[in-house]
């Protein structure tokens, strides 16, 4: 593997907590595909990990609730012919997923008022348009 996969800042995925599973992958590979286990499933126990700060962990558990199975998140990769490249892809995908799930919520929107001048101009233009259209419907101009 190409080193620690950083989630954000100095927090990274601990190699000891990653569970790997390999199986035969469908897709490209020719004669090699029937004999090698190139599909990778990476599992990470989000509920029991000590690698994430508690605030991040709570946020991720809430955000990824639909993808979790007993607090464990699973990511699968089979797009490459090589098991090594699939391992890399799965680890990067998991780190990106956790980075997105642990991101702080966006700042709440501060409601603003529409300036009075804009509202008055809109109503003035609306009245002008109404007068123009009413002037077209009169039968006096023949």
């Amino acid at each position: 593997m190409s080193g620690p996969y950083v989630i954000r800042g100095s927090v990274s995925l601990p190699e000891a907590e990653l569970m790997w599973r390999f199986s035969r992958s469908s897709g490209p590979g020719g004669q090699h595909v029937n004999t090698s286990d190139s599909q990778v499933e990476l599992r990470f126990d989000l509920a029991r990990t000590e690698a994430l700060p508690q605030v991040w962990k709570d946020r991720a558990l809430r955000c990824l609730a639909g993808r979790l199975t007993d607090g464990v998140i699973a990511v699968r990769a089979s797009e490459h012919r090589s098991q090594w490249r699939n391992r890399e892809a799965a680890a990067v995908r998991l780190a990106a997923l956790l980075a997105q799930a642990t991101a702080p919520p966006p700042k709440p929107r501060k409601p603003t008022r529409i300036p009075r001048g804009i509202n008055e101009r809109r109503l003035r233009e609306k009245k002008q348009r109404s007068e123009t259209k009413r002037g077209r419907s009169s039968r006096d101009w023949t």
Side-chain angles (χ1 to χ4, degrees):
M1 302 269 294
S2 66
Y5 292 96
V6 178
I7 296 173
R8 195 168 347 101
S10 62
V11 179
S12 61
L13 286 173
E15 188 65 39
E17 293 185 21
L18 299 178
M19 296 167 277
W20 301 93
R21 203 172 111 205
F22 308 101
S23 60
R24 291 200 178 116
S25 175
S26 61
Q31 296 171 342
H32 180 67
V33 77
N34 295 328
T35 60
S36 66
D37 292 338
S38 61
Q39 178 173 296
V40 173
E41 183 179 319
L42 175 58
R43 299 168 62 79
F44 180 68
D45 196 345
L46 187 59
R48 292 188 186 92
T49 187
E50 296 297 322
L52 297 176
Q54 189 61 40
V55 178
W56 287 17
K57 191 159 77 167
D58 294 341
R59 203 178 292 153
L61 286 169
R62 205 173 31 252
C63 183
L64 300 171
R67 289 192 62 163
L68 295 176
T69 307
D70 297 328
V72 177
I73 187 155
V75 175
R76 193 173 273 160
S78 64
E79 60 267 13
H80 302 289
R81 289 175 62 172
S82 148
Q83 185 187 101
W84 185 260
R85 288 178 65 193
N86 281 332
R87 285 176 64 119
E88 291 284 320
V92 167
R93 204 174 295 156
L94 179 64
L97 190 67
L98 288 174
Q100 184 180 9
T102 59
K107 288 166 64 172
R109 182 186 173 276
K110 182 181 173 186
T112 57
R113 285 186 42 196
I114 298 172
R116 197 170 88 203
I118 290 177
N119 220 6
E120 287 174 355
R121 186 174 65 221
R122 181 183 62 84
L123 292 174
R124 192 171 51 248
E125 289 171 358
K126 196 170 173 180
K127 186 168 273 195
Q128 262 181 339
R129 185 82 173 141
S130 169
E131 291 296 323
T132 304
K133 289 191 171 196
R134 192 171 334 138
R136 291 178 189 158
S137 67
S138 68
R139 297 182 181 188
D140 303 346
W141 56 279
T142 54

